[in-house]
Amino acid sequence: MRNERLRIAVAAGGWTHASLAAQAGVDAKTVERWLNLGRTPRRVTAFAVAELLGEDVFVLWPELRQPKATRSVSPELVALYERRADVPVSLFADLMAQARQRIDVLVYAGLFLHEGYPRLRELLRERAGEGCAIRIAVGDPDSLNVRQRGSEEKFGHGIESRCRLALMHYSLLNQLAGVELRTHGTTLYNSLYRADDQFLVNAHVWGANAYGAPVWHLRRNGDGGMFDMYAESFDAVWATAVPVQGG
């Protein structure tokens, strides 16, 4: 299986197989196996390569994050980040780019995605064009819970304006086949970002901005696990959300 995260990082940095191999102290065939066969380098080499590429080593090779002894905590846990700010926006975009069946987004605003990845709308348009079903639930800026969150996070009315700006971004996709945009007024316990059988879950902590709260990366592993719990939570919010008319 190809390592798409690594491929994107290598291409973005203008590296060739040979140039990266020379800097990492391996041969070009080894780099090719990392890219095209999904091989994982030795831990020391992986950290050195990640530093060369300016990427998080655990984004390039998530399997390095979890020691075998801790896997019993949950077989669905790929990685745990202390803060959302520690998660490269490229990981959100990469997971969405790989989605073939479904993309779900549940946020109040989530503008960091648009700010950190200006091609987000184009990416979603491409995925919808390939038959991927996309559901986006953005906070209703006039709802009591959104205003309350602004007060709790000392954001004031800023969160309401960010919700409106998020709606402006996504409304440009609202007329596309396969894309649904709704607003919700629920208490947002977690922001959810789903791409097929993977979830990025941004937990919310009272009084803290979302960028300072933890994120866990889940991959579905059978029925009834953590992944399914968050998928059901999304569906429950979606059922209460109001479709956005027009585009």
Side-chain angles (χ1 to χ4, degrees):
M1 180 182 295
R2 296 176 63 183
N3 187 329
E4 291 296 330
R5 292 179 290 266
L6 180 61
R7 183 185 62 78
I8 291 170
V10 169
W15 295 88
T16 65
H17 293 187
S19 63
L20 184 59
Q23 290 296 313
V26 299
D27 59 51
K29 288 289 187 183
T30 298
V31 174
E32 185 176 346
R33 286 191 288 270
W34 296 343
L35 289 162
N36 296 328
L37 299 180
R39 300 286 175 80
T40 303
R42 290 185 302 114
R43 196 175 186 86
V44 171
T45 303
F47 274 85
V49 170
E51 185 173 354
L52 288 170
L53 298 177
E55 284 284 352
D56 184 333
V57 67
F58 301 120
V59 171
L60 298 177
W61 293 286
E63 59 273 20
L64 292 175
R65 177 173 289 276
Q66 293 293 329
K68 290 183 179 179
T70 65
R71 287 191 181 275
S72 60
V73 172
S74 171
E76 297 189 323
L77 183 62
V78 175
L80 174 63
Y81 299 86
E82 291 185 14
R83 296 168 297 274
R84 194 193 72 200
D86 297 332
V87 186
V89 175
S90 60
L91 176 57
F92 291 86
D94 189 30
L95 291 179
M96 292 182 185
Q98 295 178 54
R100 294 296 178 267
Q101 297 178 326
R102 177 169 302 284
I103 293 173
D104 290 334
V105 176
L106 172 62
V107 292
Y108 273 162
L111 285 180
F112 75 96
L113 286 177
H114 298 278
E115 295 164 349
Y117 191 77
R119 285 198 68 255
L120 181 64
R121 286 200 306 269
E122 287 73 14
L123 188 157
L124 294 175
R125 184 178 291 110
E126 290 166 4
R127 299 315 319 129
E130 294 292 327
C132 191
I134 300 173
R135 298 185 295 178
I136 301 168
V138 175
D140 178 354
D142 297 319
S143 71
L144 177 62
N145 282 320
V146 166
R147 294 197 299 269
Q148 181 65 28
R149 179 60 58 85
S151 175
E152 292 170 359
E153 296 185 357
K154 300 179 176 58
F155 216 128
H157 296 294
I159 192 168
E160 297 163 33
S161 62
R162 289 178 73 81
C163 287
R164 291 190 173 90
L165 185 54
L167 282 170
M168 289 175 59
H169 280 294
Y170 288 120
S171 64
L172 298 175
L173 302 170
N174 201 29
Q175 297 300 314
L176 294 178
V179 178
E180 294 183 80
L181 175 62
R182 298 185 181 183
T183 58
H184 70 97
T186 62
T187 301
L188 192 64
Y189 297 106
N190 302 282
S191 293
L192 303 177
Y193 308 87
R194 177 181 179 177
D196 287 342
D197 284 343
Q198 298 194 64
F199 252 124
L200 292 173
V201 179
N202 185 189
H204 292 289
V205 179
W206 194 95
N209 294 113
Y211 63 77
V215 170
W216 37 90
H217 180 179
L218 303 176
R219 181 181 289 113
R220 190 172 186 273
N221 182 28
D223 296 332
M226 292 174 64
F227 182 96
D228 284 352
M229 178 179 64
Y230 286 110
E232 291 166 7
S233 177
F234 180 96
D235 288 340
V237 173
W238 187 255
T240 71
V242 178
V244 175
Q245 303 300 323

